[in-house]
């Protein structure tokens, strides 16, 4: 009888251990129990096997889309920004996060400094990537230059139609599964409604849109650029017929080209340009100006439309869809949606005055 009880106890213990390992998402502790430097082995989104601390307390990212995803899901673990926050950004970010150091990175025209990252000694470095380019070589190079600091690949942080997997991965990695699930639910509810409603439109029902960048509005990103992705995603036609500028984007165009394109809607990325466009004589013959359909893209903690083209655009999907097709999205209460997004993921509520200033 005693022997049978021991066998039964051993089986129960084995089942418990296996269940715990499965629940941990196929990770495993590799350091002795009691060691404060315990690690676990994970498979990152590039398919690499990486050993990371069991408890991650600090993380740096090599580019803004990854940084902003970490900020939304695990802000207390974020150890630095890739670029300086503007005074506008700071109005929407809690003070304790405003003072994080600026560490640079590898994005747009910027080239990061490995010594800066290594001196800060983060628990992990996140390397964002998409399916373009040679991902493997880039991550291998980062890992070689970062030395013993584990580099974790994070895919599709710049695809506005495919953020869910990256959000879920970050939630699992940092033990913030509930917040990640809430963000995915919010994001997919918006995305699914927008995609379903604009999918039945033919081209004649889609407005032509010009994305005006820079203080004079003479820079843009055409169809196919990640920077202007929300136009087509939300049922518009990007009217810019010009070359894509890889990476940072912002192809320079002429006033004559814009007059020829004659967009029905202009989305303005620069507040100075927006203030001047209705009085600047160069723009008065364009139908978007004549019809009062120039819209300033909201910027709070981050821009809602672009710069960077990351998860900061989740609330921008709803805003852009409502601007392009107000009749299709009457049920989108932008004040309510923006407040939910800011309270739960930007970590600071909007005031009534701020929502008024944003035109919500």
């Amino acid at each position: 009888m005693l022997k049978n009880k021991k066998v039964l106890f051993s089986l129960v213990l084995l089942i418990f251990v296996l269940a715990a390992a499965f629940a941990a998402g196929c990770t495993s502790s590799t350091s002795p129990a009691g060691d404060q430097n315990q690690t676990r082995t994970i498979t990152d989104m590039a398919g690499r096997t990486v050993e990371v601390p069991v408890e991650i307390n600090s993380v740096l990212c090599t580019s803004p889309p990854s940084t902003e995803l970490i900020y939304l899901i695990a802000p207390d673990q974020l150890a630095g920004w890739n670029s300086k926050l503007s005074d506008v950004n700071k109005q929407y970010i809690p003070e304790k996060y405003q003072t994080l150091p600026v560490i640079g990175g590898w994005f747009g025209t910027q080239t990061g400094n490995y010594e800066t990252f290594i001196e800060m000694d983060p628990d992990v470095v996140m390397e964002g990537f998409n399916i373009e380019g040679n991902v493997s070589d880039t991550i291998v190079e980062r890992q070689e230059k970062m030395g013993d600091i584990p580099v974790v690949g994070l895919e599709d942080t710049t695809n506005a139609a495919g953020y869910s997997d990256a959000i879920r991965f970050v939630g699992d990695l940092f033990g913030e599964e509930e917040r990640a699930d809430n963000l995915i639910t919010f994001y997919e509810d918006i995305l699914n409604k927008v995609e379903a409603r604009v999918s039945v439109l033919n081209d004649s029902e889609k407005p032509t849109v010009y994305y005006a960048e820079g203080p004079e509005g003479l820079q843009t990103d055409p169809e196919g650029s990640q920077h202007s992705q929300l136009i087509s995603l939300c049922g518009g036609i990007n009217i810019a017929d010009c070359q894509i500028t890889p990476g940072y984007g912002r192809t320079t165009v002429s006033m004559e080209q814009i007059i020829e394109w004659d967009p029905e809607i202009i989305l303005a990325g620069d507040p100075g340009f927006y203030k001047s466009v209705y009085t600047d004589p160069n723009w008065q013959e364009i139908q978007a100006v004549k019809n009062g359909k120039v819209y300033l893209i909201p910027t709070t903690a981050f821009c809602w439309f672009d710069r960077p083209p990351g998860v900061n655009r989740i609330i921008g999907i709803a805003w852009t869809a409502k601007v392009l097709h107000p009749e299709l999205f009457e049920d989108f209460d932008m004040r309510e949606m923006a407040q939910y997004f800011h309270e739960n993921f930007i970590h600071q509520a909007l005031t009534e005055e701020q929502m008024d200033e944003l035109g919500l």
Side-chain angles (χ1 to χ4, degrees):
M1 178 67 75
L2 181 60
K3 183 178 180 180
N4 289 340
K5 285 184 176 179
K6 287 182 177 178
V7 171
L8 179 61
F9 176 78
S10 297
L11 288 172
V12 170
L13 181 61
L14 177 61
I15 292 171
F16 176 79
V17 170
L18 291 174
F22 179 78
C26 299
T27 64
S28 60
S29 174
T30 60
S31 297
D35 186 343
Q36 293 183 348
N37 297 317
Q38 284 191 52
T39 60
R40 55 180 164 146
T41 301
I42 66 166
T43 301
D44 72 4
M45 296 188 76
R48 299 163 56 248
T49 300
V50 185
E51 193 170 310
V52 301
V54 170
E55 184 175 341
I56 299 174
N57 295 311
S58 65
V59 54
L60 294 176
C61 304
T62 59
S63 61
S66 301
T67 294
E68 294 179 4
L69 174 52
I70 299 297
Y71 176 75
L72 264 59
I73 300 300
D76 291 335
Q77 280 70 43
L78 184 65
W81 301 105
N82 298 110
S83 57
K84 186 178 179 181
L85 296 172
S86 71
D87 290 340
V88 171
N89 300 145
K90 290 179 180 177
Q91 294 176 31
Y92 301 91
I93 293 177
E95 187 173 355
K96 65 178 179 177
Y97 304 125
Q98 295 177 20
T99 55
L100 293 176
V102 176
I103 46 95
W106 290 262
F107 56 97
T109 59
Q110 307 297 316
T111 300
N113 185 324
Y114 287 103
E115 291 183 358
T116 301
F117 279 67
I118 293 170
E119 286 175 358
M120 292 190 64
D121 194 25
D123 290 336
V124 297
V125 168
M126 306 295 290
E127 171 73 21
F129 67 92
N130 56 30
I131 59 175
E132 299 174 354
N134 191 330
V135 175
S136 178
D137 286 353
T138 301
I139 296 182
V140 168
E141 179 184 354
R142 293 272 190 268
Q143 185 62 82
E144 289 176 352
K145 297 290 182 61
M146 294 293 179
D148 294 334
I149 303 171
V151 175
V152 178
L154 184 60
E155 186 178 16
D156 255 357
T157 54
T158 59
N159 178 7
Y163 290 144
S164 294
D165 287 347
I167 296 170
R168 186 175 295 107
F169 179 83
V170 168
D172 291 344
L173 185 63
F174 289 88
E176 294 286 355
E177 293 88 349
E178 182 177 356
R179 182 175 288 154
D181 287 344
N182 290 340
L183 181 58
I184 290 170
T185 298
F186 179 68
Y187 160 61
E188 291 188 349
D189 181 61
I190 293 172
L191 181 67
N192 292 339
K193 287 177 179 174
V194 170
E195 288 186 325
R197 295 177 193 181
V198 304
S199 66
V200 298
L201 301 175
N202 57 49
D203 283 351
S204 65
E205 297 172 302
K206 298 179 179 178
T208 56
V209 182
Y210 174 69
Y211 175 27
E213 299 181 89
E216 297 179 345
L218 297 178
Q219 293 175 311
T220 194
D221 288 285
E223 177 67 26
S225 167
Q226 60 186 3
H227 298 288
S228 60
Q229 187 185 6
L230 297 198
I231 294 175
S232 57
L233 182 68
C234 297
I237 296 174
N238 191 330
I239 197 67
D241 183 13
C242 59
Q243 294 292 318
I244 293 177
T245 299
Y248 189 63
R250 288 194 172 182
T251 300
T252 298
V253 298
S254 68
M255 194 70 238
E256 289 73 20
Q257 286 176 291
I258 300 169
I259 291 172
E260 181 180 351
W261 296 334
D262 195 21
E264 296 172 276
I265 290 175
I266 294 175
L267 301 179
D270 188 283
F273 166 73
Y274 175 74
K275 287 181 180 177
S276 67
V277 68
Y278 283 114
T279 56
D280 186 331
N282 291 325
W283 293 81
Q284 301 312 302
E285 295 304 313
I286 296 172
Q287 58 178 326
V289 178
K290 289 192 289 188
N291 296 329
K293 292 194 173 183
V294 182
Y295 301 92
L296 178 63
I297 296 168
T299 293
T300 53
F302 314 107
C303 181
W304 290 15
F305 185 83
D306 186 23
R307 313 277 169 205
V311 291
N312 45 297
R313 299 191 296 184
I314 288 175
I315 188 62
I317 296 172
W319 178 83
T320 305
K322 187 150 188 170
V323 165
L324 301 192
H325 297 285
E327 72 287 354
L328 292 181
F329 297 98
E330 291 181 351
D331 58 325
F332 277 15
D333 184 332
M334 287 310 305
R335 291 179 82 91
E336 181 179 312
M337 297 170 83
Q339 188 63 286
Y340 177 83
F341 184 70
H342 282 75
E343 282 184 341
N344 291 280
F345 309 113
I346 302 297
H347 318 296
Q348 179 171 297
L350 295 169
T351 66
E352 293 296 321
E353 291 76 15
Q354 287 173 332
M355 287 193 281
D356 290 343
E357 291 173 359
L358 293 167
L360 304 179

